Amino acid sequence: MAASRFTSDSGLTRRMLFTMLLVALVYVAAALPAFRLGPGWGLAAVAALVAAAVALCRSMDRFVLWVTGARVVDAAEEPELHAIVEMLCMTCDLPKPRVAVLDLDVPNAFAAGSGPGTAVLCVTEGLRRRLEPAELAAVLAHEAAHVVNRDVLITAVAAFPAMCAGTLLSWWAAPRGAAGLLARVVLAPVAAAAFVLYCLGTVTGMALSRHRELCADATGSLCTGRPGDLAAALARIGAAAGDATPADRRALRPVSALCVVPARLLSTHPAMDRRQARLTMLSQRLAAGT
Amino acid sequence: MRGPLGPLLGRSAPPEPVLDRLFALADVAGPLAAATGFTPGGTGAVAHRSVEGGPFGAFARTHREVLRLLRSGAAPEVETCEDEHGWAWIRIGRPPGTLGELPGDLHMVNALLQEGGFGPYLLCSVVCFERGPARLGLVHLYRRGTFYPYAPLPGGRRDAGLEREAAAALAGEIPVEPDTGRWFPVRDAPGL
């Protein structure tokens, strides 16, 4: 059965479970200091964490569209994109996500929204100009796979403690003058804890994101049956992303963990040759029918 | 992997599809004609992804076998076409007026591709009905095992009123897709 063709990668699963355990430890580390003040404070901290995470997840699609300036387009405006997305929805049994276009020259695409019901798939103008039709379908299938696997939600949950710690650090560093200095000295232990949390959270979040990318490559190829198209598209995007302007890269920075190829370093994404090698392996298995 | 663990581990597999409902199509011609005046146009088609692997790959072999079996039977007209995004159709032509063996043909194509391990690459099957120049497609979603009507109008629009009418007429005969958000247009279906 072809459905099991791509799902036998136990090494990847083990690494991912390990990373998720680390993410859970980051959450525990975030709530633990509050429990030392007393159980009431600890429960309050847990409740605040959960409430903030839920609020973040519910408003994430709107936030991402707003922060990148992507424009949601309807079927009359972009018939080709909508036709591709509809075909993918039939294959993956997804409700139809919204489709958005971002007026940037750097070729990239991302998915937003916390689940299949609220998903948005976004492509940049540069991506549409550079890719062949079949390659565009492969990239959209990769993004649809992120929606199927709920990657946006999972990476957001993983990145959330680090984000909070980062905000806390910036508040700690902000006050000026003698009173500010005093506050900084008094709060130094809190800041140190936040710094550790920030480092841990960022590293584990990125590791998880790399695993999810490989999974989305596999799920997306399962959806299209053409890993070769995705490999070709990745090569083309990788070549073009190298000469993107700094302004374009800045515009995509807030969503770089969700992009098909990250605009900055290859930190949230696995190395390109590793992805290519895995896609080639999928191609060979498809051709052999095993 | 299915259930909540699938998405968590990043490897959701689609659910097992229900194919036998395609045979229920044999009963819809009467009610549909009574309610809307549309009669079978004699054309059916199966949409699938054209899986890579080259002309001698596993998918191409299965695909050739499907076409050979289709042509060896009571010899319907069989055609294939592919679009630039990588989706393809197998079109089957039978004499118009009745549905006849068309549901069986469509079931065979779906079942053979599924058996060959290419179920994940099947999208839908379409049967065409006509009333003068107007066309109505009855679409079977492979993954969900449900049907919905698709009535194209010139200029890429759809006749929503006719689609509702047809869905109401068919509701007792076949499982109609309840989520109208999934009544996806099949613009390039042969015969529409």
Side-chain angles (χ1 to χ4, degrees):
Chain A
M1 187 63 212
S4 60
R5 189 171 284 159
F6 304 122
T7 56
S8 54
D9 194 342
S10 60
L12 188 59
T13 309
R14 267 203 305 279
R15 282 198 299 278
M16 182 131 64
L17 284 174
F18 179 66
T19 319
M20 282 179 178
L21 185 73
L22 288 182
V23 169
L25 284 180
V26 168
Y27 267 78
V28 170
L32 216 53
F35 273 105
R36 293 198 57 190
L37 292 176
W41 285 104
L43 289 178
V46 171
L49 263 180
V50 169
V54 168
L56 178 82
C57 292
R58 290 184 69 97
S59 57
M60 205 151 44
D61 51 332
R62 265 164 295 165
F63 174 73
V64 167
L65 287 179
W66 172 75
V67 84
T68 56
R71 187 166 50 88
V72 173
V73 290
D74 62 13
E77 233 175 314
E78 292 288 348
E80 187 195 6
L81 285 181
H82 275 267
I84 296 175
V85 169
E86 280 156 4
M87 295 297 230
L88 289 172
C89 287
M90 276 198 214
T91 333
C92 307
D93 193 21
L94 269 182
K96 189 174 169 189
R98 284 164 292 163
V99 180
V101 173
L102 188 51
D103 193 16
L104 284 183
D105 189 50
V106 49
N108 223 326
F110 62 86
S114 52
T118 57
V120 185
L121 302 186
C122 181
V123 295
T124 63
E125 286 290 350
L127 183 85
R128 306 192 52 200
R129 260 201 303 283
R130 287 187 181 87
L131 294 192
E132 301 289 324
E135 293 168 357
L136 185 60
V139 169
L140 281 168
H142 170 95
E143 299 306 332
H146 277 312
V147 176
V148 174
N149 290 339
R150 294 176 182 265
D151 283 342
V152 185
L153 185 64
I154 288 171
T155 41
V157 167
F160 183 64
M163 199 181 85
C164 292
T167 315
L168 204 71
L169 276 180
S170 63
W171 285 343
W172 176 76
R176 306 221 170 273
L181 193 65
L182 186 67
R184 245 181 282 179
V185 171
V186 170
L187 290 176
V190 178
F195 182 71
V196 171
L197 188 65
Y198 178 74
C199 295
L200 277 180
T202 308
V203 170
T204 53
M206 282 175 173
L208 184 65
S209 162
R210 284 197 296 274
H211 294 330
R212 308 298 298 189
E213 281 306 314
L214 291 177
C215 289
D217 281 352
T219 311
S221 304
L222 173 67
C223 200
T224 61
R226 295 166 74 130
D229 286 347
L230 184 58
L234 285 178
R236 226 182 261 251
I237 295 169
D243 42 62
T245 65
D248 279 358
R249 268 181 244 171
R250 255 201 309 283
L252 278 173
R253 188 167 298 164
V255 288
S256 69
L258 313 172
C259 288
V260 66
V261 167
R264 294 178 295 161
L265 291 166
L266 289 166
S267 51
T268 57
H269 282 53
M272 190 65 94
D273 49 355
R274 188 158 172 227
R275 293 175 81 178
Q276 297 279 13
R278 293 179 70 94
L279 286 169
T280 309
M281 188 185 74
L282 292 183
S283 287
Q284 286 162 353
R285 283 158 106 183
L286 265 179
T290 48
Chain B
M1 179 163 295
R2 257 160 278 144
L5 213 54
L8 199 61
L9 296 180
R11 32 182 227 194
S12 316
E16 278 298 302
V18 190
L19 267 187
D20 287 347
R21 289 183 184 160
L22 270 173
F23 287 120
L25 269 179
D27 305 325
V28 304
L32 191 64
T36 63
F38 275 87
T39 56
T43 303
V46 178
H48 63 86
R49 186 76 190 162
S50 74
V51 180
E52 70 175 39
F56 305 111
F59 180 77
R61 275 201 302 275
T62 312
H63 190 258
R64 269 199 299 279
E65 182 66 12
V66 170
L67 296 186
R68 193 182 64 75
L69 280 172
L70 273 178
R71 286 178 175 134
S72 71
E77 284 173 51
V78 180
E79 268 175 357
T80 59
C81 56
E82 192 181 327
D83 73 4
E84 73 271 29
H85 296 115
W87 281 284
W89 290 91
I90 299 177
R91 174 187 169 279
I92 302 164
R94 291 272 183 188
T98 70
L99 277 175
E101 293 165 58
L102 210 46
D105 291 338
L106 296 178
H107 184 272
M108 190 186 82
V109 173
N110 279 289
L112 283 174
L113 286 174
Q114 190 180 357
E115 254 170 54
F118 298 103
Y121 307 115
L122 285 163
L123 278 83
C124 62
S125 306
V126 184
V127 183
C128 304
F129 294 83
E130 50 191 37
R131 181 180 68 189
R135 295 284 182 275
L136 175 71
L138 200 50
V139 185
H140 170 258
L141 284 172
Y142 170 80
R143 192 76 53 213
R144 297 171 75 77
T146 51
F147 295 85
Y148 64 86
Y150 169 62
L153 288 175
R157 288 169 304 123
R158 299 169 69 164
D159 189 341
L162 174 59
E163 286 177 7
R164 267 199 306 278
E165 221 177 295
L170 298 171
E173 311 290 329
I174 49 176
V176 175
E177 172 57 46
D179 178 4
T180 52
R182 295 185 197 242
W183 291 16
F184 298 117
V186 280
R187 293 188 190 82
D188 51 353
L192 287 179

